[in-house]
Amino acid sequence: EKERFDEIRISITKTESTGVRGNGSFAAVAWNAGSGGQVAVLPYSLQGTRIKHDIPRVQVGSAPLDFEFSPFDDCLMSTASDDGLVKLWRLPQEGLTENLKEPVACLGGHEKKATFAT
């Protein structure tokens, strides 16, 4: 029971990915927030606990179609969304303590939705 997350609100929006990613420090899921695109990034220290519905999340802004962790840096994550933006996010090593709203970089110029973040 300690090796799972309980009460996760996984998004029901269609995506181009599995909607779940993980690395050595975090697990991430597209979060069902009702409006706006959000990704919950969960440190493994939360395993075995009930995940609160108001946990801090990455505020992507538009529905995330894909997201991925860097293979070289556990605290760097990219998101691709239906507004055509690919964003790079720097996560605190200890995990989120408040909503993360500002990416470290935003790549635009796509005429259509950005479907893959890898």
Side-chain angles (χ1 to χ4, degrees):
E1 285 191 29
K2 291 191 178 222
E3 294 182 2
R4 69 176 191 211
F5 296 104
D6 292 326
E7 302 290 328
I8 293 179
R9 298 180 66 183
I10 295 177
S11 176
I12 58 173
T13 304
K14 268 188 170 180
T15 68
E16 300 293 331
S17 73
T18 61
V20 177
R21 293 283 192 256
N23 65 17
S25 301
F26 304 104
V29 296
W31 195 258
N32 186 12
S35 64
Q38 300 180 12
V39 176
V41 180
L42 309 168
Y44 292 121
S45 61
L46 293 179
Q47 285 181 325
T49 66
R50 184 174 175 266
I51 304 300
K52 296 178 183 176
H53 291 186
D54 63 348
I55 62 165
R57 298 179 288 274
V58 176
Q59 306 289 314
V60 178
S62 187
L65 300 177
D66 192 23
F67 48 94
E68 187 66 72
F69 288 106
S70 166
F72 307 106
D73 183 344
D74 281 356
C75 294
L76 189 62
M77 182 178 78
S78 62
T79 58
S81 52
D82 66 359
D83 60 2
L85 298 176
V86 174
K87 297 178 182 178
L88 298 176
W89 305 89
R90 170 68 56 196
L91 306 166
Q93 249 181 330
E94 67 280 356
L96 297 174
T97 57
E98 61 185 10
N99 286 339
L100 186 57
K101 299 176 183 177
E102 295 296 324
V104 294
C106 184
L107 308 171
H110 304 282
E111 293 181 13
K112 298 182 180 181
K113 59 185 176 181
T115 54
F116 295 102
T118 53

